[in-house]
Amino acid sequence: MNAEPFAYFLNTTQRRIEEHESTIRRLSSMRGQYHDAAAFDAQLAVDDAVLYEVYMVERPAEDGELSSGLTILHPGKVGDEYFMTKGHFHAILETGEVYYCLSGRGCMVMETPEGEWHVAQMTPGAVVYVPPRWAHRSVNTSDADDLVFFWVFPANAGHDYGSIERQGFRKRVVSRDGVVTVEDNPRWLPPDER
Ligand code: F6R
Ligand code: ZN
């Protein structure tokens, strides 16, 4: 049976997808991901802030289908580390993804299971290609503006969050004297220690 073509409307002014609900990710779901645990606890005690919102136009998990949507990642820091998405590998590792940055300023931190890494800039108009096998995490490096981006990936890819929760990303993005800096993550577990 053929699927029916359809269109949806991505409202870039209001930062939403019309007629769809968003899901939100709060600070409390990021325990262990920011390096400065004391800063994390102190911030959480004051406010379990919404870090980002995701509108997903989800398609059936079948070969050939594509899911797509919009992420709005708010500005902020935990200690010196910029707000970021949780980050994941796709459960079917051999699946890629395309991201298109609509507004804001940030970067995408990527990594393979073998520990290769890459950081791509995300500024309005940037299209970032995430090849198969690369975990990906978006980071908002603006002090004031949301980072807003569209993405599309195979609907049957699935998400593996557990690997990143355990091993972290090799690189983290921090502010050093006001300069956006990519540093080694001291908590990263290299492949031979997992
Ligand atoms: C889907 C994808 C994006 C992210 C979204 C939130 O495969 O990469 O839609 O899911 O930007 O990030 P996570 O899923 O890491 O919380
Ligand atoms: Zn993904």
Side-chain angles (χ1 to χ4, degrees):
M1 179 97 138
N2 290 329
E4 288 296 315
F6 66 95
Y8 63 82
F9 291 90
L10 196 158
N11 186 324
T12 50
T13 310
Q14 293 179 6
R15 294 164 186 195
R16 55 191 287 267
I17 290 179
E18 310 281 7
E19 294 173 8
H20 286 76
E21 297 297 317
S22 65
T23 56
I24 59 172
R25 180 83 77 180
R26 291 183 181 275
L27 185 63
S28 52
S29 68
M30 295 289 282
R31 180 170 293 284
Q33 295 303 306
Y34 289 98
H35 181 62
D36 188 341
F40 179 91
D41 287 339
Q43 214 155 317
L44 189 56
V46 176
D47 180 28
D48 189 7
V50 173
L51 301 192
Y52 56 101
E53 300 167 55
V54 179
Y55 289 86
M56 163 103 98
V57 180
E58 192 169 10
R59 296 291 303 158
E62 294 169 7
D63 278 354
E65 287 278 2
L66 300 169
S67 289
S68 56
L70 183 73
T71 300
I72 301 103
L73 174 55
H74 301 308
K77 288 197 220 61
V78 175
D80 54 17
E81 199 166 1
Y82 292 103
F83 278 3
M84 58 195 184
T85 57
K86 204 164 167 70
H88 56 264
F89 288 94
H90 289 163
I92 298 178
L93 200 55
E94 303 293 338
T95 53
E97 184 157 355
V98 170
Y99 278 64
Y100 175 54
C101 180
L102 294 163
S103 66
R105 180 162 52 91
C107 58
M108 169 122 48
V109 179
M110 290 172 268
E111 176 168 335
T112 65
E114 294 76 29
E116 293 164 89
W117 63 275
H118 184 87
V119 176
Q121 295 306 310
M122 291 178 82
T123 50
V127 179
V128 178
Y129 180 66
V130 182
R133 308 188 82 253
W134 288 76
H136 38 288
R137 158 179 284 167
S138 312
V139 183
N140 185 343
T141 58
S142 164
D143 289 328
D145 299 321
D146 287 339
L147 178 66
V148 184
F149 48 91
F150 169 82
W151 34 266
V152 54
F153 68 101
N156 60 1
H159 293 91
D160 164 18
Y161 290 100
S163 297
I164 293 299
E165 282 170 4
R166 285 187 298 276
Q167 73 207 37
F169 275 84
R170 183 168 191 162
K171 298 289 172 180
R172 62 193 203 107
V173 185
V174 298
S175 170
R176 289 270 167 261
D177 300 322
V179 178
V180 178
T181 309
V182 177
E183 286 189 354
D184 284 340
N185 173 9
R187 293 183 198 276
W188 181 64
L189 278 183
D192 59 351
E193 291 177 30
R194 287 170 197 160

